[in-house]
Amino acid sequence: MTDVDFHCHSTASDGEHSPLELANRAVEAELGYWALTDHDTIEGYLSLLLHDLPLSLISGVELSVEHQGVPLHMVALNFDAQNLAFNDMLVGQMNNRLERAQVIADKLAKLGFVGVHEFVADLGQRPVSRPELANFLVSSGQVASTKKAFDKFLGRGKVGDVKQVWLEMSKAIDCVKAAGGVSILAHPETYKLNRAKLKTLVAEFKQMGGDGIELPHEAATGQTYKFVVKLAKEFELKVSVGSDFHTDKQPWRKLGKTPTIAPDLIPIWSQFSV
Ligand code: AMP
Ligand code: MN
Ligand code: MN
Ligand code: MN
């Protein structure tokens, strides 16, 4: 089976390495297909089109969406990156993230942190995410570590975990489809939903036109892996795999390290022709 990685992040969002560094790693790992899936931006992907890379590069992005008030992530692949409505959607996502970063900066300033607004302003027009704010707090010497920044200020339920009105998942699916791409429910095991709720979500995702589901890493979560495989079969979703690589500081997420796909599952890339 072809080795692929359809989920990773570069400096265009909250990753540590440049798009080109990642592409070189993907080549070294001899990946058959590869996609860069930064949060709500294709700038990194577009920058790679200027290079003649010896691999099959697929267009990709990880979209922040919501369904019935629950924030979810969706990986979109193999779309036409020139599609106007798709690009409008991405501009909307970026503006959403910029507004949210301002609100988080206000909250952090109230807590006594300095320079957060300036940091956000200096980032310019990009879809700012919480890890970038965490890194700023650490690099400016105001918090000891990224983990502490999340545990105390930015993580789930903390002051900087600002609720955002994200794009409706059904709208995102329609937009991806109109641009010729496929929609994949990303890391389904991370939404803190019980099995019944996850099953309902997957059923609705399929009904809305979703194409695939990302397989969890079976080593870490054997039971969850089996459950997601069962859902993929039951709802006739194709499967996608990705490392969600951000940084070498998280050795459990390594570019190209992805779960195995049983022969009775249909890989999402079976329909790609690059
Ligand atoms: P955002 O899209 O701005 O809400 O940021 C979400 C990203 O923050 C995720 O994709 C993770 O990479 C990262 N993240 C979320 N929670 C934590 C945490 N507790 N520790 C470290 N990184 C986290
Ligand atoms: Mn991330
Ligand atoms: Mn995600
Ligand atoms: Mn991701």
Side-chain angles (χ1 to χ4, degrees), residues 39-85:
H39 294 286
D40 299 303
T41 177
I42 56 171
E43 291 303 315
Y45 164 73
L46 293 177
S47 75
L48 288 175
L49 298 179
L50 305 173
H51 301 271
D52 189 16
L53 296 168
L55 54 71
S56 296
L57 177 66
I58 302 291
S59 56
V61 66
E62 181 172 16
L63 297 171
S64 308
V65 300
E66 67 175 57
H67 177 57
Q68 294 172 353
V70 180
L72 303 164
H73 283 179
M74 209 180 90
V75 165
L77 296 175
N78 208 32
F79 46 82
D80 170 13
Q82 305 296 324
N83 182 280
L84 287 181

Side-chain angles (χ1 to χ4, degrees), residues 7 9 39 62 73 186-187 190-191 244 246:
H7 193 152
H9 298 268
H39 294 286
E62 181 172 16
H73 283 179
H187 43 65
T190 62
Y191 302 124
D244 208 359
H246 285 71

Side-chain angles (χ1 to χ4, degrees), residues 193-227:
L193 298 174
N194 64 30
R195 289 194 170 192
K197 286 196 169 140
L198 184 55
K199 182 172 172 176
T200 304
L201 168 66
V202 172
E204 290 171 355
F205 176 73
K206 171 73 182 186
Q207 211 183 11
M208 288 185 279
D211 303 281
I213 189 165
E214 207 172 62
L215 289 179
H217 287 250
E218 74 262 55
T221 54
Q223 288 308 315
T224 316
Y225 176 86
K226 284 187 191 131
F227 186 60

Side-chain angles (χ1 to χ4, degrees), residues 5-7 34-37 58-61 74-80 86 176 179-184 211 240-241 268-269 272:
D5 193 332
F6 289 139
H7 193 152
W34 177 61
L36 177 61
T37 57
I58 302 291
S59 56
V61 66
M74 209 180 90
V75 165
L77 296 175
N78 208 32
F79 46 82
D80 170 13
F86 192 85
V176 172
V182 290
S183 295
I184 293 143
D211 303 281
S240 184
V241 291
I268 192 82
W269 61 96
F272 296 170

